[in-house]
Amino acid sequence: IREIGTPQIAAFTATATPEVRADILHHLALRDPFQCVSGFARPNLSLQITPCAKRDQKYKRIRAAIKLHKTGIIYCATRKRVEEVHDTIKSWGCRVISYHGGMPDDDREKNQESFISRESDIAVATNAFGMGIDRSDVRFVIHFDIPGSVEAYYQEAGRAGRDGEAAACELLFNYADTRTQEFFIEGSNPAASLILDVHQYLSEAVDEKSEIVMPVQSLCEQIGTKNSMAVSSAISYLVRSRAIERFDIPGQRTRGTRILGSGKPDIDFTAIAEKERRDRDKLKAMVNLC
């Protein structure tokens, strides 16, 4: 923007919390801009939350939705749950695809194209699926598990009925499912002690080039934690603080780590704790809605 003379800027996004909107203004350096927030109410969508004490009840609701609406997306919180739900629906004789971040790129692309081209009627996916999905006749969106926030829920539910025709959005609620979201919150907001433990171990284990190649799971074992997501997040914070850098190794999926400098990493641990508090508040708001 600066290089082309700071012209007039227009910024658009589908959904954005007040924090995200403030971020946009800050990073694009917009001064006293006109802001238009239109809301997310769409009269063609019906929103429903169905309490489900057992998993069998969830499958019963899904089967009824498929029978009535034919085409739709089912969102699950974890990759394991995606595979389970996909296999169950496939056993019913439905044309269904799965999509999550743990699949090979080629498989994800093939499955996404199958859904967009209408070769498949149903997609079972994590929230990685949906951005850029241009299929207007999605007649239902079902959340098998509770999302982490109201914002995530209405963004994902909003992928139904983009042709303006009636569509059903249903969240299958079981309070026990909140444990998964709690795990995600802990994983994306690692404790200061964990971040420092990761940095200390890597600093002591590097070779003469200040480098080490170690899978995240092995690193978890070395520092005595089972939450690989939290360790991955700790690595990301260390990278952003320039305490370490990551590099690719030809022919290997595991990335290498290089220690930069010495001493305690310069990380704003207060900001991490504040982000965790906001994430928990968002999940609480979602539970209260249910």
Side-chain angles (χ1 to χ4, degrees):
I1 291 172
R2 287 192 299 268
E3 287 178 0
I4 61 176
T6 314
Q8 183 172 343
I9 300 296
F12 303 88
T13 183
T15 55
T17 62
E19 293 86 359
V20 172
R21 296 202 295 272
D23 236 15
I24 293 171
L25 301 185
H26 171 70
H27 288 289
L28 294 184
L30 302 182
R31 299 182 303 276
D32 192 27
F34 167 74
Q35 297 184 61
C36 177
V37 182
S38 62
F40 60 91
R42 289 167 56 199
N44 64 311
L45 301 185
S46 65
L47 304 177
Q48 178 176 339
I49 296 174
T50 304
C52 294
K54 297 182 179 179
R55 195 166 298 177
D56 288 349
Q57 292 175 268
K58 296 189 177 188
Y59 282 119
K60 185 177 180 180
R61 294 297 306 170
I62 291 173
R63 198 157 196 168
I66 294 173
K67 183 178 181 180
L68 180 62
H69 301 294
K70 306 296 189 291
T71 60
I73 302 172
I74 300 167
Y75 282 107
C76 303
T78 65
R79 300 170 183 181
K80 182 179 180 181
R81 187 60 53 78
V82 165
E83 297 295 344
E84 172 202 313
V85 175
H86 167 269
D87 292 348
T88 299
I89 294 175
K90 188 175 182 179
S91 72
W92 299 342
C94 300
R95 299 191 304 173
V96 57
I97 61 100
S98 59
Y99 188 103
H100 59 70
M103 299 170 62
D105 292 345
D106 290 346
D107 289 349
R108 285 206 309 273
E109 185 175 345
K110 180 185 70 175
N111 288 359
Q112 178 174 299
E113 181 57 33
S114 174
F115 184 72
I116 293 174
S117 64
R118 294 171 170 75
E119 292 177 9
S120 301
D121 301 317
I122 303 156
V124 183
T126 59
N127 58 12
F129 184 79
M131 299 300 288
I133 297 303
D134 186 19
R135 180 164 179 176
S136 61
D137 68 335
V138 174
R139 298 271 66 85
F140 71 86
V141 168
I142 288 178
H143 281 80
F144 197 91
D145 307 292
I146 186 172
S149 69
V150 176
E151 292 85 3
Y153 172 66
Y154 69 64
Q155 184 178 71
E156 292 156 16
R159 289 164 188 156
R162 288 182 170 175
D163 55 4
E165 299 297 323
C169 307
E170 185 171 2
L171 193 162
L172 307 177
F173 179 65
N174 185 317
Y175 185 82
D177 296 338
T178 60
R179 295 172 190 160
T180 301
Q181 293 300 335
E182 292 278 359
F183 176 83
F184 289 155
I185 291 172
E186 294 168 5
S188 60
N189 302 285
S193 58
L194 178 64
I195 297 176
L196 295 175
D197 284 348
V198 169
H199 183 257
Q200 181 178 347
Y201 179 83
L202 293 174
S203 299
E204 295 173 352
V206 293
D207 59 18
E208 65 278 2
K209 295 181 180 180
S210 295
E211 296 177 355
I212 182 174
V213 178
M214 175 177 285
V216 170
Q217 195 56 51
S218 298
L219 181 56
C220 289
E221 295 170 2
Q222 293 297 326
I223 64 175
T225 182
K226 295 181 179 180
N227 194 334
S228 60
M229 183 181 176
V231 170
S232 294
S233 296
I235 290 172
S236 295
Y237 278 110
L238 290 168
V239 169
R240 288 199 290 273
S241 70
R242 297 293 297 160
I244 65 174
E245 66 180 2
R246 302 274 276 167
F247 58 90
D248 294 324
I249 303 172
Q252 293 190 36
R253 296 190 65 180
T254 301
R255 304 185 73 197
T257 302
R258 184 179 296 113
I259 298 294
L260 303 175
S262 59
K264 185 178 178 180
D266 183 18
I267 296 176
D268 188 348
F269 295 111
T270 302
I272 298 175
E274 176 61 20
K275 179 179 175 295
E276 180 178 5
R277 184 194 65 77
R278 291 198 305 269
D279 289 346
R280 292 190 184 280
D281 285 346
K282 289 177 180 180
L283 178 58
K284 183 179 180 180
M286 187 70 237
V287 173
N288 289 340
L289 177 65
C290 292

